Amino acid sequence: MNIDTALKECMSIAGAVGVALVDYESGMSLGVSGGGDWLNLELAAAGNTEVVRSELRTMSTLALSDSIEDILITLHRQYHLIRLMDAVKSKNSLFLYLVLEREVANLALARHHLKRVESDLYV
């Protein structure tokens, strides 16, 4: 699946407010969908590159021989889900960043759906 199709799939997840495909080395978005006046996806995605970099540094410092599947940030009204792409498959340092409206979203189903999109996406 290409980037546009993947972003559309993500926006079909119940409660989806916005989604971005982001390169955490550069902080640049390869594609965005959704958002709005109160959610600048470009800015939020760039800011979350620091979250990803920080977690990767911490794992390296702790010498953990494991990989991050996803990172969840919970707010009172939103879930922010960061799903790292399989680095071996994508040969990139990419993540999917999905913002969900908490009252509408089912977090377990959203994570499952995002995992499927990640596995089908080729960049």
Side-chain angles (χ1 to χ4, degrees), residues 29-63:
S29 295
L30 281 69
V32 297
S33 182
D37 292 338
W38 60 271
L39 177 61
N40 182 330
L41 273 172
E42 295 279 348
L43 186 60
N48 278 301
T49 62
E50 292 303 320
V51 172
V52 172
R53 290 176 191 159
S54 177
E55 188 60 30
L56 290 171
R57 276 192 305 271
T58 301
M59 289 179 62
S60 178
T61 300
L62 295 172

Side-chain angles (χ1 to χ4, degrees), residues 16-95:
V17 174
V19 63
L21 178 64
V22 186
D23 179 345
Y24 63 79
E25 286 184 355
S26 70
M28 301 296 292
S29 295
L30 281 69
V32 297
S33 182
D37 292 338
W38 60 271
L39 177 61
N40 182 330
L41 273 172
E42 295 279 348
L43 186 60
N48 278 301
T49 62
E50 292 303 320
V51 172
V52 172
R53 290 176 191 159
S54 177
E55 188 60 30
L56 290 171
R57 276 192 305 271
T58 301
M59 289 179 62
S60 178
T61 300
L62 295 172
L64 296 176
S65 58
D66 208 346
S67 60
I68 299 171
E69 285 185 12
D70 51 39
I71 299 168
L72 173 64
I73 301 167
T74 58
L75 304 177
H76 290 290
R77 292 184 288 227
Q78 299 171 4
Y79 293 123
H80 291 238
L81 190 56
I82 299 168
R83 174 84 191 181
L84 273 71
M85 299 285 294
D86 182 349
V88 174
K89 183 185 81 173
S90 66
K91 296 182 178 64
N92 289 307
S93 50
L94 302 177
F95 66 89

Side-chain angles (χ1 to χ4, degrees), residues 1-11 117 121:
M1 132 179 2
N2 66 26
I3 294 172
D4 289 335
T5 304
L7 295 176
K8 286 177 187 170
E9 279 286 317
C10 290
M11 287 302 293
V117 170
L121 174 61

